[in-house]
Amino acid sequence: MFMKKIINDPHDVVPEMVDGLVRSYPSILEQVPDTLAMVRADKDSMKGKVGIVSGGGSGHEPTHAGFVGKGMLSGAVAGQVFTSPTPDQIYAAIKAVDQGKGVFLVVKNYSGDVMNFDMAKDMAEMDDIEVRRIVVDDDIAVKDSLYTQGRRGVAGTIFMHKVLGAAAQEGASLDDLEKLANAVLPNIKTIAVALSAATVPEAGKPGFELAEDEIEFGVGIHSEPGYRREKLRPSKELVEELLGKLDDEMHLDPNKQYAMLVNGMGATPLMEQYIFAHDTLDQLKAKNITPAFTKVGNYMTSIDMAGISLTLFELADPAWLKALNYPVETVAW
Amino acid sequence: MFMKKIINDPHDVVPEMVDGLVRSYPSILEQVPDTLAMVRADKDSMKGKVGIVSGGGSGHEPTHAGFVGKGMLSGAVAGQVFTSPTPDQIYAAIKAVDQGKGVFLVVKNYSGDVMNFDMAKDMAEMDDIEVRRIVVDDDIAVKDSLYTQGRRGVAGTIFMHKVLGAAAQEGASLDDLEKLANAVLPNIKTIAVALSAATVPEAGKPGFELAEDEIEFGVGIHSEPGYRREKLRPSKELVEELLGKLDDEMHLDPNKQYAMLVNGMGATPLMEQYIFAHDTLDQLKAKNITPAFTKVGNYMTSIDMAGISLTLFELADPAWLKALNYPVETVAW
């Protein structure tokens, strides 16, 4: 099978991508020299504030660097494709954003990420930079998966970025942010459906094969297996399946407020995402729920995978809705 | 061939998509009842200002409705997929945004669009709404094409939206906007490369076929033929071809300022777009040019086509750069 991608040497994908992104948005992003860490170009305006750093394997663009900027992340570290960034690179980002008030890490729940972010935390602490972290595990599809103990961290992570980013910009302490992250975490849940798998450039072929008319529910953002394969069905029925799973988990309640994220996986056009959003809003309305905040687009992708994930975030604290609406200056929010 | 799309009935694609978009962003967009026209939800804040309306066939999401909002378009009209909106629908948008100061239309150069927007203009003028228009024809790939006399209007159209939107927000008159649009138009040039064709839902199959390892330069946003087919080459070489064509046309000059848009066609992931941007910035740098403004992402798509277009906009007037940086409240800018 021929790999049809607009790239140069597959080994150069990540450095070339990071360079292209940073040079395209020089007023927002700066690259830490000799690393794949990116930090806010306006980092002087962060003086006296806690830094927030996220990151992980590449292939999920615009995540994470697209969310670096005023009001959101202070820095992001890009690993190789679908591979955790190394501790020294994460540490470089921590060091670059630290303003003496400590740094908070947002880590998606994959064994490699958790291990490497924790090692970077240790390195920073030896340097007297105080570090705390949250491990996001919003994907309700499966427990324990390829690369993961427990549940995987997926698209809902960007809601975590947003809420913490607003709080940090308003001057929250490291303690405040840790408390906030722990309060927010159990309220964010995500589930996905895939129509095709991603092709990692160095692998040259898709991570799995689906028949021409087949889909898979619950697939992860690194082509990890989901929970069921079947024939493609209309959008309405896909929404019924995914929203049903979220409802089982969250016990959706018309007296509560929710944020909703319809997330495209990379190759699924906005046309399909808007239709899927239409069906989701209809089915929520049938439960007397109208989300207080909605986003639709490619936010946490899986390279060129076709598919959609649906995230719901129960806004248990009204301050979280304000945080979602807080102004930011980023490439991708 | 099986059409693998997240949709319901192919006939319902456009109304469901418009509904999903508007209901996802109710603070930005409002649908004109019983039409596929969308207008700014804050249209009261447009009092005393000229309205700007664009539109065209659906399938180019987030264009055009994604650019409706404070500081940019006042309204957008969605036709059926790859089909011009009807004059009555365009007229409904004009009427909805008119504040007594007239309405300016931004039309992409396709015979159906030009005809229908002109009919809507006539209808509005019979109702004493003054209307002017610009026809955007930024695609340098070919002259006269399927559906087009002269050159096609493609991704560069969003630069036209942005510059006019900023001016209208600042209170420009209909005369001012017409003069501005005519001054801007010859400075925006675009060219594309396709790796695959779009599949229109009602057609059920791609608009053309390319071999597994084949690309086509100069393809339009409705699968109109380009100027050459050949084997896929590395990103750097694709940039050489496209930038070379732009240079032949624009005579790139290090003493001039440029804005650059790398635009994904729908199925091409940001990973590839950032790499393509990296190569473009390198090759511009070799000509001693660093763009003063850059955007990379899916702005003017062709449903699920894989491919990229490159737009350069010569910023002959420094006010145009300010207009590109002017704050907006839209879904997609």
Side-chain angles (χ1 to χ4, degrees), chain A residues 196-314:
Chain A
S196 73
T199 296
V200 174
E202 296 207 35
K205 61 181 181 47
F208 58 87
E209 289 291 346
L210 283 171
E212 194 185 51
D213 61 349
E214 206 180 31
I215 60 171
E216 182 167 335
F217 289 112
V219 169
I221 57 174
H222 312 94
S223 301
E224 303 98 319
Y227 62 86
R228 197 170 76 239
R229 282 190 183 194
E230 57 180 43
K231 300 256 184 236
L232 178 63
R233 293 189 273 152
S235 169
K236 278 186 212 323
E237 297 178 23
L238 302 181
V239 170
E240 272 166 30
E241 169 75 21
L242 300 185
L243 195 57
K245 291 276 181 195
L246 289 171
D247 197 6
D248 290 347
E249 178 81 19
M250 302 177 82
H251 311 290
L252 298 174
D253 178 343
N255 298 309
K256 292 179 175 168
Q257 282 205 305
Y258 297 91
M260 160 181 145
L261 171 67
V262 171
N263 174 61
M265 289 297 188
T268 290
L270 282 172
M271 173 184 282
E272 298 174 39
Q273 297 179 43
Y274 291 146
I275 290 170
F276 184 94
H278 157 85
D279 292 326
T280 307
L281 290 166
D282 272 359
Q283 291 178 35
L284 284 171
K285 198 175 174 189
K287 298 179 193 293
N288 287 312
I289 293 170
T290 300
F293 181 93
T294 306
K295 265 183 113 63
V296 186
N298 299 327
Y299 293 99
M300 176 77 71
T301 62
S302 181
I303 315 179
D304 51 358
M305 177 161 129
I308 284 182
S309 70
L310 177 61
T311 300
L312 290 176
F313 174 16
E314 184 185 323

Side-chain angles (χ1 to χ4, degrees), chain A residues 122-244:
Chain A
D122 290 345
M123 291 165 75
E125 283 169 348
M126 282 192 282
D127 247 7
D128 291 323
I129 302 173
E130 203 182 344
V131 178
R132 310 275 177 79
R133 50 89 150 160
I134 187 86
V135 177
V136 181
D137 58 352
D138 57 313
D139 189 345
I140 65 167
V142 294
K143 232 183 121 51
D144 299 339
S145 179
L146 282 176
Y147 325 122
T148 322
Q149 305 274 316
R151 286 173 164 179
R152 302 173 299 222
V154 292
T157 307
I158 74 161
F159 281 149
M160 180 66 81
H161 292 159
K162 188 68 175 71
V163 173
L164 294 177
Q169 190 71 40
E170 289 289 300
S173 69
L174 201 51
D175 280 343
D176 296 339
L177 290 174
E178 189 174 31
K179 205 177 292 178
L180 177 60
N182 283 312
V184 163
L185 184 64
N187 292 288
I188 303 178
K189 303 293 174 196
T190 301
I191 189 162
V193 60
L195 279 65
S196 73
T199 296
V200 174
E202 296 207 35
K205 61 181 181 47
F208 58 87
E209 289 291 346
L210 283 171
E212 194 185 51
D213 61 349
E214 206 180 31
I215 60 171
E216 182 167 335
F217 289 112
V219 169
I221 57 174
H222 312 94
S223 301
E224 303 98 319
Y227 62 86
R228 197 170 76 239
R229 282 190 183 194
E230 57 180 43
K231 300 256 184 236
L232 178 63
R233 293 189 273 152
S235 169
K236 278 186 212 323
E237 297 178 23
L238 302 181
V239 170
E240 272 166 30
E241 169 75 21
L242 300 185
L243 195 57

